[in-house]
């Protein structure tokens, strides 16, 4: 073994991953020399002086590299190479020879030797050869591990693919089953061609599946123009929102036009190449029923209005009769007074005529007539009579005008003065509340006009005022000397107008406050209420005018209904 290790050897120790090496040679000195060279760089070295000894060592231990002489008694280096290749193919074998020939070199390399070294061997050559061999051995081991891991991965992948494929088939089968029994129509379109359709869609339009598959989608629409327009709307919605929701006209096989609500979304691809899934629901009967319900609701509101008008008619007649009576009395008075004036004027005329021809007796008669008529009284009372007559006629005109405006069937929204609607509703309902309450108005003079259906808002106001009068009538005794109160206020803030209609009635019990807007719910006696007034109020204020209606109530104290209406008549974005 050399006495010292040079710089090159030191670098080998630093860079080399140490390996276990078997040196085989029947010359002990060569074994010792090679062992010293390799041990100096940190390899784990064992030696064998024969092929048999080497094979025994190889059976009991693992070696990364074997360096063997080619010519040995017994088992030769070539035979040992063959043994290593069969028993441990990852181990690299270096063949040494002191008598190199082409034949031995060929045998060694063909037999799988990593290198062919010629004696005497320079130490650096040995070290490099062992280093390369050890590296190759490590690569072989890694390759074998990678191949094993890759094979395991492939097996797992194949298993997963098999499981996923089976799951996908099951999923497709389940999906096909669900689509097949789905109550809504589903079909797939690609490039304007119907690619698939479920039974519900076929039944919806009266086609068989065979008649629809591979047919032009225009088959489903009444005209080419209609189809193109729907496609434009559909594509625009998909581009903007990813899904299109449309209600379209489709034509059944027998030519009937059906209203179909569709939701369309792309399955695969983009733009014109996208396959589309269309979920279709026939809403023809639903829309027809809704139209009938809307018509019925309008008829019900009109009937309620006529019912209110009918119940108020007697009171209105009474209200008109009172001013009419004193108008008539004043007219009688004016007629009689005018007859007296005519007598006076006639006598005066006769007096003047006679005085010109006969003297003074007729003048005395005219003076007597004038004294009986009392010209001073007439001069004072006739203007009062005329003033009362004008006041009565104005009251009549106001009542009649309010009634006319209330009963006018406005069908569309327009700008309306809410304060004026309140005054009108209070006027025509006066006979309902004047015997039980006094009404006070605190109306915002700067209240903006509201975009609404004025006749419907008037009906709501009338219902609430009448309800207030009924609540007060139930709360006060029949012989009570003090009347209740109905207070109506208006105000506005931001984009809203607020109406508050309060009464000093019996109040609403907490356990029924959540139900008072339900259709047909009423706390009134049988025959006095239908339970539709507040339900109609909710429908008009909330559903049609996008407002709110609420109440504050205390049993035994009274109730305040609070209505809020958007000034522009539009639904709030919030």
């Amino acid at each position: 073994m050399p006495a010292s290790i040079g710089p090159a050897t030191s670098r080998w120790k630093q860079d080399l991953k140490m390996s276990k090496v078997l040196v085989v040679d029947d010359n002990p000195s060569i074994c010792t020399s090679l062992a010293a060279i390799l041990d100096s760089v940190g390899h784990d070295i064992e030696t064998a002086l024969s092929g048999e000894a080497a094979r025994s060592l190889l059976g009991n231990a693992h070696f990364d590299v074997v360096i063997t002489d080619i010519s040995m008694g017994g088992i030769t280096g070539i035979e040992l190479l063959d043994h290593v290749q069969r028993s441990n193919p990852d181990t690299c074998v270096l063949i040494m020879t002191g008598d190199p020939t082409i034949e031995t070199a060929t045998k060694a390399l063909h037999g799988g030797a990593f290198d062919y070294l010629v004696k005497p061997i320079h130490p650096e050559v040995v070290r490099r050869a062992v280093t390369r061999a050890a590296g190759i051995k490590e690569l072989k081991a890694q390759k074998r591990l990678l191949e094993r891991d890759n094979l395991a991965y492939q097996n797992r992948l194949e298993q997963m693919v098999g499981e996923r494929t089976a799951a996908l088939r099951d999923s497709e089968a389940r999906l096909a089953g669900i689509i097949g029994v789905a109550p809504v129509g589903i079909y797939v379109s690609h490039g304007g061609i119907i690619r698939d359709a479920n039974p519900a869609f076929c039944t919806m339009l009266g086609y068989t599946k065979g008649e629809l598959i591979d047919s032009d989608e225009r088959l489903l629409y009444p005209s080419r123009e209609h189809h193109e327009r729907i496609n434009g709307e559909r594509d625009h919605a998909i581009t903007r929102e990813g899904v299109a929701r449309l209600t379209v006209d489709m034509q059944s096989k027998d030519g009937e036009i059906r209203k179909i609500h569709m939701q369309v979304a792309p399955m695969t691809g983009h733009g014109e190449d996208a396959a589309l899934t269309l979920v279709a629901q026939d809403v023809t009967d639903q829309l027809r029923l809704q139209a009938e319900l809307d018509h019925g609701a309008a008829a019900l509101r009109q009937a309620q209005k006529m019912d209110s008008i009918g119940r108020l008619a007697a009171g209105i007649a009474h209200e008109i009769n009172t001013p009419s009576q004193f108008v008539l009395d004043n007219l009688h008075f004016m007629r009689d007074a005018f007859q007296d004036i005519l007598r006076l004027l006639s006598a005066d005329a006769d007096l003047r005529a006679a005085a010109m021809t006969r003297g003074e007796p007729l003048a005395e008669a005219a003076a007597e007539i004038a004294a009986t008529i009392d010209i001073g009284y007439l001069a004072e009372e006739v203007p009062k009579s005329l003033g009362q007559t004008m006041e009565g006629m104005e009251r009549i005109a106001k009542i009649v005008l309010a009634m006319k405006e209330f009963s006018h069937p406005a069908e569309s929204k327009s700008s309306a003065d809410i304060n004026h609607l309140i005054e009108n509703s209070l006027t025509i309902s006066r006979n309902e509340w004047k015997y039980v309450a006094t009404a006070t108005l605190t109306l915002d003079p700067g209240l903006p006009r509201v975009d609404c259906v004025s006749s419907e808002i008037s009906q709501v106001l009338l219902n609430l005022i009448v309800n207030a009068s009924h609540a007060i009538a139930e709360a006060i005794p029949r012989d009570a000397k003090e009347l209740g109160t109905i207070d109506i206020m208006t105000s506005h803030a931001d984009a809203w107008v607020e109406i508050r209609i309060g009464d000093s009635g019996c109040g609403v019990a907490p356990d029924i406050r959540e139900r008072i807007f339900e259709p047909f719910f009423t706390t009134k006696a049988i025959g006095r209420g239908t339970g539709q007034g507040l339900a109609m109020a909710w429908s008009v204020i909330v559903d049609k005018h996008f407002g709110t209606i609420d109440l504050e109530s205390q049993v035994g104290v009274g109730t305040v209904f609070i209505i809020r209406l958007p000034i522009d008549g539009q639904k709030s974005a919030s």
Side-chain angles (χ1 to χ4, degrees), residues 120-132:
I121 306 171
H122 191 276
E124 188 67 19
V125 172
V126 173
R127 286 194 291 264
R128 289 186 180 279
V130 170
T131 298
R132 289 197 306 271

Side-chain angles (χ1 to χ4, degrees), residues 74-141:
I75 296 177
T76 66
I78 295 297
E79 292 171 340
L80 185 61
L81 169 64
D82 180 63
H83 172 75
V84 172
Q85 288 291 304
R86 285 185 286 105
S87 63
N88 194 354
D90 287 344
T91 299
C92 289
V93 178
L94 304 179
I95 296 295
M96 300 182 295
T97 182
D99 183 21
T101 64
I102 294 176
E103 180 181 0
T104 57
T106 301
K107 283 183 179 182
L109 295 176
H110 283 180
F114 174 73
D115 206 349
Y116 185 79
L117 305 176
V118 178
K119 299 175 181 179
I121 306 171
H122 191 276
E124 188 67 19
V125 172
V126 173
R127 286 194 291 264
R128 289 186 180 279
V130 170
T131 298
R132 289 197 306 271
I136 291 299
K137 189 267 177 186
E138 182 66 22
L139 289 176
K140 284 183 178 181

Side-chain angles (χ1 to χ4, degrees), residues 324-343:
S324 297
Q325 185 61 51
F326 63 71
V327 169
L328 184 59
D329 291 343
N330 287 336
L331 289 175
H332 279 295
F333 171 76
M334 292 176 66
R335 183 191 63 183
D336 295 341
F338 190 61
Q339 290 296 324
D340 290 338
I341 293 172
L342 285 179
R343 286 171 57 207

Side-chain angles (χ1 to χ4, degrees), residues 328-529:
L328 184 59
D329 291 343
N330 287 336
L331 289 175
H332 279 295
F333 171 76
M334 292 176 66
R335 183 191 63 183
D336 295 341
F338 190 61
Q339 290 296 324
D340 290 338
I341 293 172
L342 285 179
R343 286 171 57 207
L344 176 61
L345 292 176
S346 177
D348 183 65
D350 291 344
L351 174 62
R352 285 186 285 107
M356 293 173 60
T357 59
R358 301 178 185 178
E360 298 181 357
L362 289 177
E364 294 177 358
E368 292 177 359
I369 294 173
T372 61
I373 292 175
D374 193 355
I375 293 298
Y377 172 76
L378 292 178
E380 182 180 352
E381 294 299 325
V382 168
K384 290 182 180 179
S385 176
L386 290 174
Q388 291 174 349
T389 302
M390 294 301 296
E391 180 184 352
M393 293 307 299
E394 287 174 356
R395 287 179 61 184
I396 292 171
K398 184 176 180 181
I399 294 170
V400 172
L401 178 60
M403 196 66 191
K404 181 179 179 182
E405 290 183 0
F406 176 78
S407 61
H408 182 68
E411 296 296 337
S412 59
K413 291 183 178 180
S414 60
S415 179
D417 182 347
I418 297 297
N419 286 344
H420 181 64
L421 297 183
I422 291 172
E423 291 171 342
N424 277 357
S425 298
L426 197 63
T427 296
I428 64 175
S429 63
R430 188 171 186 271
N431 194 62
E432 288 283 339
W433 54 262
K434 73 174 185 177
Y435 298 110
V436 296
T438 58
T440 60
L441 295 179
T442 308
L443 304 181
D444 181 357
L447 196 71
R449 297 177 71 88
V450 174
D451 196 21
C452 64
V453 181
S454 58
S455 61
E456 294 185 350
I457 299 299
S458 294
Q459 180 69 55
V460 171
L461 296 171
L462 178 65
N463 286 350
L464 293 180
I465 293 170
V466 171
N467 283 354
S469 69
H470 291 173
I472 293 171
E474 292 178 9
I476 63 175
R478 290 183 178 273
D479 56 351
K481 295 181 179 180
E482 293 186 3
L483 300 179
T485 58
I486 297 175
D487 299 310
I488 305 177
M489 301 174 58
T490 58
S491 61
H492 74 281
D494 299 327
W496 297 84
V497 160
E498 182 175 283
I499 307 165
R500 300 175 75 92
I501 301 177
D503 64 67
S504 58
C506 53
V508 180
D511 59 334
I512 64 171
R513 287 179 192 172
E514 299 297 325
R515 300 189 58 199
I516 63 171
F517 294 108
E518 294 179 5
F520 307 111
F521 178 79
T522 180
T523 59
K524 296 178 181 178
I526 296 175
R528 190 168 186 189

